[in-house]
Amino acid sequence: MHDDTLLTVTGLSKHFDGVPAVEDVSFDVRRSETLGIVGESGSGKTTLARCILRAIDPDAGVVRFRSADGWVELQDLSPKELIPLRREMQMIFQDPFASLNPRMTVREILEEPLVVHRVGNREERLAAVLDMLDHVQLEHDSLTRYPHAFSGGQRQRIGIARALILRPNLVVCDESVSALDVSVQAQIINLLEDLQRDLGLTYLFVAHDLSVVQHICDRVLVMHRGRVVESGVVDDLFANPREDYTRLLLSAIPSPDPDVPLRPLDRRSVGL
Amino acid sequence: MSEVALPSGAGVAAGVTDRETAAAISPRRLMWLRFRRHRLALASGAFLLVLYVLAAFCEFVAPYGTTTRNDDAINAPPMGVHFFDAEGRFHLRPFVYAYRMEVNPDTWMREYAEDTGTRHPIRFFARGEPYEMWNLFPMDRHLFTTDAGTYIHLFGTDPLGRDMFSRVLYGGRISLSIGIVGVVLTIVLGILLGGIAGYLGGLADRVVNKAIEVLQCLPSLPLWMALSAALPVHWSPLLVYFGITIILSLFGWTALARQVRGRFLALREEEFVMAARLIGADTPRVIRKHMLPSFSSHIIATATLAVPAMILGETALSFLGIGLRPPVVSWGVLMFQAQNPLVIELTPWQMFPGLFVVLTVMAFNLLGDGLRDAADPYSTGGMK
């Protein structure tokens, strides 16, 4: 363990009705890095992300998080004990439509974390909200609007602003760009990178799109059927995949060159 | 439903001001804009509002009390309001004619005709029969009445010579309020039990669901009858009133509870609800701020549709003589007096309370339909 380790996950497992979704997963996350978690649909990456933040409760394993007050083991905390820790770890969701309450204005959405954690008075909270809107490059007149007035990319910016307004250390991005158009995806990825640099964030970046992961991540875990099959520094792993499954995933990345045909590997040919 | 911006053209058609751009419209206001297009529902809402105001101020609106008797008018028919008298002269002040009673020599029935020689001018906001407004303030002014010694019976009179119009108004106060009080109880029970089932799930969910299934299997009318028969005879009318309300809502909450449970189950999985929890909001806040507002409009619509069942329940029980009893006046009690087919044959105006029940129930149903469509434009039979 490095002394700048922010999160350690050891032997994490989660079953749904006896079916394993996450099976004995262990890894570390270092401060200010971006760790990618990739895998196909159903590989357990979202479940893993949710277990870490205790959005769902894991069945087994240890999740150690370095909070402002030292190390805590998240898996044993009661919901009440978790509440103060929510300031330090947040999630950015996949679906920018479903993740914003349609009945709250942008101001209410962004203010809520501050209200819940009793941060500042009314003016200070408004100032923080406006500051956050600047960070995610939204107009100040967005405040009084409802989510239905925004495009997908703008909504995702609102979701990002909500996650970051408490200035967390750890941010879990659960397929946060998967639902967006490619051009919007690029904007949001750049925004996430800017914010990471400005605010010193650590990302746990769950994605199925390997080209996105290659762009944004420092290290990557490859998950298959609930288990981590391979992990390593992104460039190494992408250049020299050791596992067949990783090769299968990599073969599904389309080339930017339109003349290069996409030739995904056949599952059976790699023995999966 | 979140991705709907606006119903087509609502911004313009519904008269949204320029300053209030489509972007800043709250979902509640959107619902109102959609509701406004249901003319029938809007008219029903207005009708019900008028009815409730009349019932709330029935002492003032009604010219007489519920027990005032007019010995000159036994089973008398409704009076017509006139501006022109028999000679064709116009009177600025409307009037009614006195009754002229004759006994039919063949049937020995009293028969009434207008006595065009005797006019009873109608006085507005004039002093008449003294009363206590809401049992609190002694007053004697009425919305309309006639001079002392004369009378007005817009809906005719009953076999004891009591004014039907006044009695229908007083009866409306009981019948209409029993609907509202009952529905409030229903909502409380429905949201509480449905919420527990939906939010907690597991064992609580199974218990509540089984209870709902059992309750819905029971035939409601015989059960109501049994329970109302169990109400002690010596109870005061007020206690009976609340007893009946509780009996009605005890069986009315199941449908609402099912709906609330379904919504809770669906909302619990919504990402914005998970987002709220991850922010650190505790359960009461999540429910209050994120879950309830998402279906409060549905609750309102369902509740509106539940009111007529309550009113009909009270009417049915009182009509059968096991609900409210005289001297309490409700529409059901009034109809109890009109059970005899002879009444319909000879004095059909005693059916006026029934007409009001029909109109009220219909208005509530239309209003509820309109509200439901406005709350959820994607439900069946949505906007036209």
Side-chain angles (χ1 to χ4, degrees):
Chain A
M1 192 188 295
H2 293 68
D3 33 320
D4 61 348
T5 304
L6 185 65
L7 179 81
T8 338
V9 175
T10 321
L12 191 81
S13 295
K14 174 71 188 176
H15 295 226
F16 289 114
D17 294 328
V19 180
V22 174
E23 193 71 8
D24 192 23
V25 169
S26 305
F27 61 91
D28 291 348
V29 184
R30 288 197 288 275
R31 208 180 282 277
S32 300
E33 79 166 341
T34 302
L35 177 70
I37 301 176
V38 299
E40 62 190 341
S41 297
S43 57
K45 53 195 191 303
T46 292
T47 305
L48 173 63
R50 291 184 173 186
C51 280
I52 290 168
L53 286 195
R54 282 285 303 277
I56 49 180
D57 294 337
D59 293 333
V62 179
V63 181
R64 281 160 56 80
F65 176 69
R66 193 204 295 263
S67 76
D69 305 326
W71 286 96
V72 283
E73 296 201 351
L74 295 178
Q75 79 282 354
D76 292 332
L77 296 181
S78 71
K80 223 182 194 109
E81 292 169 316
L82 272 169
I83 288 177
L85 288 167
R86 298 288 180 205
R87 294 187 67 163
E88 302 181 50
M89 45 185 204
Q90 277 296 320
M91 181 179 272
I92 300 170
F93 290 85
Q94 169 174 14
D95 187 343
F97 293 95
S99 60
L100 302 177
N101 187 340
R103 294 186 180 260
M104 291 168 87
T105 61
V106 169
R107 178 177 182 172
E108 289 168 326
I109 290 170
L110 297 188
E111 220 177 9
E112 186 171 33
L114 302 173
V115 173
V116 165
H117 292 280
R118 298 196 179 83
V119 178
N121 58 29
R122 222 178 128 72
E123 288 82 44
E124 288 164 358
R125 286 201 294 264
L126 179 61
V129 168
L130 289 174
D131 179 49
M132 206 62 234
L133 282 180
D134 290 336
H135 269 296
V136 297
Q137 294 151 26
L138 282 173
E139 301 292 329
H140 284 192
D141 64 5
S142 310
L143 279 182
T144 55
R145 298 188 181 183
Y146 289 85
H148 66 69
F150 295 91
S151 68
Q154 287 172 321
R155 287 186 199 205
Q156 197 56 294
R157 287 171 196 270
I158 299 169
I160 292 170
R162 172 180 59 191
L164 299 187
I165 197 152
L166 289 169
R167 300 299 156 108
N169 290 323
L170 177 67
V171 178
V172 175
C173 305
D174 181 13
E175 301 267 18
S176 302
V177 296
S178 311
L180 304 172
D181 293 346
V182 176
S183 59
V184 181
Q185 236 179 33
Q187 292 170 17
I188 297 293
I189 288 169
N190 290 337
L191 175 67
L192 287 173
E193 287 186 318
D194 292 345
L195 289 168
Q196 181 171 40
R197 196 185 54 236
D198 296 347
L199 307 175
L201 303 172
T202 307
Y203 287 138
L204 201 58
F205 198 90
V206 176
H208 63 260
D209 185 339
L210 292 185
S211 47
V212 170
V213 169
Q214 190 172 21
H215 179 79
I216 194 169
C217 293
D218 304 311
R219 289 189 307 133
V220 65
L221 305 178
V222 181
M223 283 188 74
H224 181 223
R225 294 184 182 168
R227 292 177 180 277
V228 175
V229 292
E230 192 168 359
S231 64
V233 175
V234 169
D235 293 334
D236 299 348
L237 191 132
F238 276 39
N240 302 305
R242 281 179 288 124
E243 292 289 324
D244 289 340
Y245 181 69
T246 313
R247 264 196 289 279
L248 182 81
L249 289 180
L250 287 171
S251 73
I253 304 179
S255 162
D257 182 351
D259 293 331
V260 178
L262 183 63
R263 287 204 188 81
L265 290 175
D266 186 16
R267 248 160 213 274
R268 272 158 303 183
S269 71
V270 293
L272 293 161
Chain B
M1 63 174 285
S2 53
E3 59 266 50
V4 211
L6 277 170
S8 57
V12 188
V16 178
T17 56
D18 290 341
R19 200 170 50 81
E20 189 180 25
T21 51
I25 299 177
S26 72
R28 185 126 301 175
R29 189 162 155 71
L30 264 178
M31 179 175 161
W32 166 243
L33 292 179
R34 285 193 296 259
F35 177 71
R36 246 179 20 179
R37 299 214 244 155
H38 289 264
R39 296 275 167 230
L40 210 53
L42 211 57
S44 300
F47 171 75
L48 288 173
L49 195 68
V50 170
L51 215 54
Y52 270 91
V53 169
L54 289 183
F57 297 97
C58 65
E59 290 100 335
F60 170 71
V61 178
Y64 305 107
T66 54
T67 52
T68 313
R69 298 180 54 182
N70 180 356
D71 294 333
D72 294 338
I74 306 291
N75 273 335
M79 288 173 161
V81 176
H82 301 273
F83 283 95
F84 293 92
D85 62 21
E87 282 88 49
R89 277 184 313 232
F90 173 72
H91 297 265
L92 191 60
R93 180 172 293 284
F95 62 90
V96 294
Y97 286 118
Y99 290 124
R100 194 179 59 224
M101 194 265 284
E102 283 167 1
V103 175
N104 186 317
D106 298 331
T107 60
W108 285 76
M109 295 286 301
R110 291 158 179 253
E111 287 178 357
Y112 291 89
E114 287 185 335
D115 174 8
T116 51
T118 317
R119 289 192 287 113
H120 293 174
I122 300 171
R123 312 264 174 221
F124 293 96
F125 302 104
R127 288 175 197 285
E129 193 178 296
Y131 59 89
E132 282 189 341
M133 190 73 192
W134 298 325
N135 284 335
L136 292 175
F137 314 108
M139 290 170 70
D140 59 0
R141 293 217 177 255
H142 291 267
L143 178 64
F144 68 94
T145 184
T146 54
D147 298 326
T150 66
Y151 46 82
I152 178 166
H153 301 300
L154 292 178
F155 288 179
T157 60
D158 73 356
L160 295 177
R162 294 176 294 198
D163 182 41
M164 282 306 289
F165 181 78
S166 305
R167 286 171 70 77
V168 165
L169 279 177
Y170 277 91
R173 167 177 287 179
I174 300 285
S175 290
L176 292 172
S177 66
I178 225 169
I180 297 297
V181 175
V183 158
V184 168
L185 270 174
T186 303
I187 290 179
V188 171
L189 278 174
I191 292 183
L192 205 68
L193 291 168
I196 287 172
Y199 195 83
L200 297 180
L203 183 66
D205 188 24
R206 281 205 296 280
V207 169
V208 171
N209 255 322
K210 280 285 171 282
I212 290 175
E213 277 161 22
V214 169
L215 278 179
Q216 286 191 336
C217 286
L218 300 173
S220 52
L221 195 59
L223 206 66
W224 284 348
M225 290 170 68
L227 283 171
S228 348
L231 293 184
V233 190
H234 55 81
W235 272 15
S236 70
L238 191 72
L239 273 179
V240 174
Y241 172 92
F242 282 113
I244 296 286
T245 318
I246 290 169
I247 289 172
L248 291 176
S249 43
L250 226 48
F251 298 99
W253 61 271
T254 51
L256 188 68
R258 278 228 161 128
Q259 274 213 343
V260 171
R261 170 183 172 269
R263 295 265 155 198
F264 260 100
L265 282 178
L267 278 170
R268 209 172 50 163
E269 306 301 323
E270 284 281 345
E271 280 196 343
F272 72 79
V273 172
M274 181 185 281
R277 284 200 291 127
L278 287 183
I279 276 164
D282 53 11
T283 304
R285 187 183 172 90
V286 171
I287 292 179
R288 206 177 64 245
K289 283 282 207 185
H290 297 272
M291 299 178 88
L292 280 181
S294 297
F295 59 88
S296 58
S297 45
H298 293 262
I299 291 175
I300 293 168
T302 312
T304 311
L305 289 170
V307 176
M310 294 283 161
I311 294 178
L312 284 177
E314 182 276 323
T315 311
L317 287 179
S318 304
F319 179 75
L320 293 172
I322 48 176
L324 300 169
R325 289 180 202 90
V328 173
V329 181
S330 80
W331 287 345
V333 170
L334 291 175
M335 286 166 74
F336 176 65
Q337 298 173 340
Q339 265 182 348
N340 190 332
L342 264 182
V343 167
I344 303 167
E345 176 74 26
L346 300 173
T347 55
W349 50 90
Q350 291 207 43
M351 300 297 293
F352 265 115
L355 179 71
F356 274 84
V357 171
V358 171
L359 287 177
T360 306
V361 168
M362 205 152 70
F364 264 113
N365 281 331
L366 289 170
L367 176 69
D369 278 345
L371 283 173
R372 194 181 49 198
D373 290 349
D376 183 4
Y378 297 100
S379 62
T380 47
M383 284 186 301
K384 281 156 201 96

